[in-house]
Amino acid sequence: MSTNLRELMQSNRYLDPITNEWTDWPGRMEADHFVPVRYIKTMPGFQKLDSRWQGIILRYEGNIQPLPRHHNRYKSDHMPSEWWFTLGSDGEFHPVNADYLAEAAKWEQVIIEEIQNLIDSSLAQLNQEQRDKRWPYSPP
């Protein structure tokens, strides 16, 4: 975990999906996958990676956001742009802010592209490692 993400997780600040404002939270934060794991596992090439590379992709810090447990549980495995309702700290359900949803849709595409690039470069690295193991016994 990078210092920036660690600091963000420990700062107890998060972008509240109900208000679309940075909010202080007195409790423990959870690490939420902005683009859900279930989606990443369906991305082209992911299943071709070994478990070591899959783990690296799933822990990509650019896809992690801090959320209080009540939000993280109700976001579950939804894409952020499909997360229409959440449980507020008041125990009531609230719609997710329209501006939050609009920004989330933009960031989804950016992060999906970043993750796909990571998958592609990881596949290339894995293929190179496999070629290196064969050398000098078979041509590349």
Side-chain angles (χ1 to χ4, degrees):
M1 183 182 289
S2 75
T3 303
N4 292 339
L5 182 58
R6 181 176 290 124
E7 288 173 3
L8 186 58
M9 293 296 290
Q10 293 173 348
S11 74
N12 289 350
R13 290 184 60 76
Y14 71 102
L15 185 59
D16 189 329
I18 297 170
T19 65
N20 198 38
E21 295 177 359
W22 284 95
T23 304
D24 291 319
W25 179 251
R28 183 176 165 273
M29 301 295 268
E30 293 186 355
D32 170 64
H33 288 84
F34 193 77
V35 173
V37 170
R38 73 157 171 90
Y39 182 89
I40 296 169
K41 288 181 175 182
T42 67
M43 292 177 71
F46 183 83
Q47 294 300 325
K48 294 179 183 177
L49 296 169
D50 62 26
S51 60
R52 173 181 58 124
W53 287 103
Q54 287 180 350
I56 290 168
I57 301 296
L58 293 176
R59 290 187 301 273
Y60 170 54
E61 292 180 9
N63 187 38
I64 304 294
Q65 68 175 337
L67 282 179
R69 173 173 278 202
H70 61 279
H71 287 311
N72 195 22
R73 294 294 177 244
Y74 282 90
K75 180 178 174 282
S76 185
D77 65 351
H78 291 94
M79 293 294 276
S81 63
E82 300 170 344
W83 183 27
W84 299 304
F85 290 92
T86 189
L87 186 66
S89 60
D90 60 1
E92 300 290 326
F93 283 98
H94 299 272
V96 173
N97 182 285
D99 291 332
Y100 181 97
L101 290 171
E103 281 298 308
K106 293 176 193 174
W107 279 106
E108 274 173 22
Q109 295 311 307
V110 169
I111 294 170
I112 287 168
E113 185 176 319
E114 290 173 356
I115 293 169
Q116 188 63 59
N117 288 338
L118 287 170
I119 291 169
D120 295 344
S121 62
S122 298
L123 276 173
Q125 179 68 31
L126 182 60
N127 289 336
Q128 182 63 48
E129 289 173 3
Q130 290 170 347
R131 282 191 298 272
D132 290 347
K133 286 180 185 177
R134 289 193 312 256
W135 180 259
Y137 305 108
S138 63

